[in-house]
Amino acid sequence: MPKITIDNREVNIPDGGTILDAARKLGIEIPTLCFLKGYKATTSCLTCVVKVNGRKNLVPACATVAEEGMEVESETAEVRGARRTALELLLSDHVGDCIAPCQLLCPAGMNIPQMLRQIVAGDNTAAVATVLRDIALPAVLARICTAPCEKGCRRGSLDKPIPICELKGYVADLNLAAESPWAPKCRPASGKRVAVVGGGPTGISAAFHLAVNGHAATVFEREPQVGGRILTEFGREVLPRETLEAEVEFIARMGVDFVTDTTVGGNGSSDFEHLITEFDAVLIAAGTSAHEQAVAWGLKTTERGLSIDKADYRASLSGVFAAGGAVRSTKLVVRSTADGKEAAQSIDRYLENPAAEAVPEPFTTKIGRMTREELLQLANVAESGGGKDMKSLDETQKHARDAAACLHCDCRGADNCELRIQSEKYQAGATQYHATSEQRRPVKMLRHKDRIVYEPGKCIRCGRCIAIVNETANTLGLTLIGRGFNVEVGVPFGRDLGEVFGRQDAKTADELAAKCIAACPTAALSKP
Ligand code: SF4
Ligand code: SF4
Ligand code: SF4
Ligand code: FES
């Protein structure tokens, strides 16, 4: 039973145990993208490398047997750098979009494909919950947004883009018109109070998201009505005032206090100092009018407005934040609301822990341009997976029909993809060694009955599914087939995966498919 140390912590493990076994015993996390417990190590990913003192090269923890007296380091700069490079190499010929292009283009980052699937399923409550997670004023925006998301919609390259903005409006209007509209469940009251200076789109949005997080938000607006630039830039014919009023009322019912006809700073800097002492945090969302006041309030400025840390909207005084037109000029109202949401999230972290660090952007890989053939293939899989015969829907179900044309460009396994999780953790660059779009592997999506979907472009050839299938008796074996960029998991002799997952008796095939999907470290294998 050798005794070794990892990061200066001692551990005994049975003879023949690996460094990975020892680390797991100590609760030390080491990423493993190819090793699967109970199967022989293939050492194809090299994300599990560690430093063994006295050895020149880093070694894979999953395949290195622990020896008496070994001293291992698992988190040095060298180890982290090597893991990052290993991940970047895996990403170099990886073909997938963790996040759909429409969602990436939406300044508020709304999960558009999810909303569309919920509309198709006829579940408006779920759809409105998806919308309100990121957008506080969806009915207003549906009428005034220039819809940058639609410009990048993949369906647009086939025929016409999904009318995302209109569908969002449909979901929001239906909710507002309901007898008891669905509203997000706010977290229990935190006891913290936040002052929001300015009742335009940034301030309203921030107050909404602060309320969801359990904080008491008070919005101070100098005009008799909240709305700010929404009121001054858009006429009633484009934006009926009732729509804005209905959404503001909806937010007020969630507990936000709107104080109108009140100018903060009207009595000079003492007014502002009073706010800072009264409230646990202050957000300045007063557009350009905040620029003139900022100096009197003792805040640093740039030529564009208040000076902030772009990562978390913190202004130069502790507990003070600024967002929207107060810090930059933007034409897009949805950008202003997105600023409000991001500032609210940052304030939420600050209230929990004043020293909290900014959260990095979510990791995503991008496919880029796709050929018509590739898009048609996605359309075929999307249609065959819809479950409903959308063509039979009549005009009254127009919205479901429009939503059903979505190609579901988001990745089916984005929330638990190990490649993505580790790439985010080790800050791997998705395009560090990336193939150019002419060189990349083709986008393929192969659906085998109702059991499994295989996307070869997302496969990192870890060998886990191969090992699982090949240990099952009475089955055709799986193997890696092809050369270079074209290596794919497949069945020898030109047969396809359907023969493995379709040939067994139904129960075995279902179990085998489920086991492979669960073991796959990416979304290369997923449920249909
Ligand atoms: S398989 Fe993972 S890394 Fe690849 S697109 Fe999906 S979530 Fe992103
Ligand atoms: S087809 Fe659907 S998922 Fe793809 S970009 Fe358009 S709306 Fe987004
Ligand atoms: S498809 Fe198989 S070989 Fe490819 S990443 Fe998934 S489990 Fe590994
Ligand atoms: S090389 Fe060890 S987990 Fe991949």
Side-chain angles (χ1 to χ4, degrees):
M1 217 185 201
K3 184 196 276 178
I4 72 169
T5 63
I6 306 182
D7 303 336
N8 297 320
R9 292 167 64 195
E10 283 187 355
V11 61
N12 285 300
I13 53 156
D15 289 337
T18 61
I19 296 176
L20 181 66
D21 294 328
R24 287 189 174 164
K25 198 168 170 192
L26 284 170
I28 292 173
E29 260 186 62
I30 292 181
T32 50
L33 263 64
C34 65
F35 177 73
L36 187 61
K37 202 169 167 53
Y39 296 89
K40 196 169 171 289
T42 58
T43 56
S44 62
C45 77
L46 294 182
T47 56
C48 67
V49 288
V50 291
K51 171 87 187 151
V52 174
N53 287 343
R55 293 205 196 169
K56 196 162 151 261
N57 298 324
L58 300 179
V59 300
C62 68
T64 307
V65 173
E67 290 165 13
E68 179 62 36
M70 237 181 199
E71 287 172 12
V72 178
E73 288 180 277
S74 82
E75 275 290 343
T76 64
E78 184 191 11
V79 166
R80 287 188 66 84
R83 286 180 188 167
R84 186 182 311 122
T85 304
L87 288 161
E88 284 168 349
L89 288 170
L90 291 175
L91 291 166
S92 69
D93 71 337
H94 183 83
V95 185
D97 288 324
C98 307
I99 300 174
C102 52
Q103 184 175 347
L104 277 181
L105 284 169
C106 169
M110 185 177 87
N111 192 336
I112 293 162
Q114 179 170 289
M115 172 192 77
L116 297 173
R117 287 189 282 270
Q118 290 159 336
I119 294 174
V120 174
D123 190 347
N124 202 66
T125 304
V128 84
T130 300
V131 172
L132 288 174
R133 193 153 49 232
D134 297 297
I135 299 182
L137 296 167
V140 167
L141 281 172
R143 288 159 174 89
I144 61 173
C145 189
T146 55
C149 56
E150 290 177 21
K151 298 185 180 68
C153 172
R154 287 243 157 86
R155 187 82 218 194
S157 314
L158 265 186
D159 35 49
K160 57 180 193 314
I162 308 287
I164 301 167
C165 198
E166 185 192 325
L167 287 166
K168 176 188 65 194
Y170 160 73
V171 165
D173 286 354
L174 211 60
N175 192 49
L176 286 177
E179 209 169 295
S180 44
W182 182 89
K185 196 169 179 295
C186 298
R187 270 178 23 201
S190 65
K192 307 278 184 188
R193 299 175 64 225
V194 183
V196 178
V197 183
T202 307
I204 298 174
S205 162
F208 166 83
H209 292 283
L210 286 165
V212 172
N213 281 321
H215 309 305
T218 307
V219 179
F220 295 99
E221 168 58 47
R222 65 176 178 184
E223 301 294 332
Q225 229 196 326
V226 292
R229 59 177 290 208
I230 299 175
L231 290 169
T232 53
E233 292 175 23
F234 302 92
R236 287 168 194 274
E237 62 299 344
V238 178
L239 178 72
R241 297 307 185 238
E242 302 78 59
T243 307
L244 174 64
E245 282 158 19
E247 291 206 308
V248 169
E249 216 180 286
F250 176 87
I251 296 170
R253 278 202 300 274
M254 287 169 58
V256 171
D257 197 6
F258 288 101
V259 181
T260 50
D261 288 314
T262 302
T263 308
V264 171
N267 296 323
S269 57
S270 63
D271 229 15
F272 186 68
E273 271 164 30
H274 182 67
L275 269 198
I276 298 185
T277 15
E278 274 287 287
F279 289 84
D280 298 286
V282 176
L283 172 66
I284 298 168
T288 43
S289 62
H291 298 188
E292 301 128 38
Q293 307 269 30
V295 179
W297 292 346
L299 293 163
K300 284 199 189 130
T301 54
T302 67
E303 65 274 18
R304 261 178 268 122
L306 269 76
S307 163
I308 53 157
D309 183 335
K310 287 199 187 98
D312 57 14
Y313 296 86
R314 285 178 192 237
S316 55
L317 284 176
S318 171
V320 179
F321 297 74
V327 298
R328 60 165 145 187
S329 63
T330 174
K331 289 202 173 67
L332 289 173
V333 177
V334 63
R335 182 62 257 168
S336 305
T337 62
D339 263 25
K341 176 187 80 168
E342 290 164 15
Q345 288 167 339
S346 178
I347 292 171
D348 180 52
R349 284 195 300 276
Y350 164 82
L351 292 174
E352 178 107 342
N353 169 15
E357 289 192 6
V359 176
E361 293 277 305
F363 177 87
T364 188
T365 62
K366 291 185 202 159
I367 299 175
R369 281 183 72 82
M370 281 169 70
T371 64
R372 192 168 173 79
E373 289 66 39
E374 290 174 327
L375 290 167
L376 283 171
Q377 201 187 151
L378 291 193
N380 281 338
V381 174
E383 257 175 48
S384 65
K388 275 187 189 176
D389 182 5
M390 287 302 157
K391 293 196 183 84
S392 69
L393 295 178
D394 61 27
E395 261 313 294
T396 60
Q397 290 149 309
K398 176 185 173 299
H399 296 104
R401 208 170 49 189
D402 285 347
C406 175
L407 301 176
H408 310 297
C409 310
D410 51 337
C411 184
R412 293 153 171 267
D415 291 339
N416 42 22
C417 167
E418 268 306 301
L419 178 59
R420 185 178 188 215
I421 293 167
Q422 298 302 341
S423 295
E424 191 161 299
K425 181 170 171 198
Y426 286 93
Q427 291 175 358
T431 53
Q432 192 71 10
Y433 305 106
H434 212 268
T436 62
S437 56
E438 296 83 51
Q439 282 175 339
R440 69 158 167 79
R441 289 199 260 176
V443 176
K444 283 197 211 166
M445 196 183 259
L446 310 163
R447 190 187 152 105
H448 297 294
K449 302 202 179 256
D450 284 332
R451 296 212 169 90
I452 204 159
V453 173
Y454 174 47
E455 294 176 73
K458 295 178 182 172
C459 170
I460 57 166
R461 299 119 184 184
C462 70
R464 289 181 180 179
C465 59
I466 298 176
I468 290 169
V469 167
N470 292 357
E471 77 170 353
T472 310
N474 305 323
T475 182
L476 283 167
L478 281 187
T479 183
L480 289 171
I481 297 174
R483 306 177 71 178
F485 266 180
N486 293 320
V487 174
E488 284 181 16
V489 172
V491 188
F493 318 118
R495 295 150 120 165
D496 82 356
L497 279 188
E499 295 204 38
V500 170
F501 297 103
R503 189 171 173 263
Q504 325 283 324
D505 65 272
K507 191 164 167 283
T508 317
D510 280 346
E511 279 171 13
L512 204 55
K515 222 170 154 186
C516 289
I517 291 167
C520 182
T522 70
L525 297 176
S526 61
K527 286 201 193 99

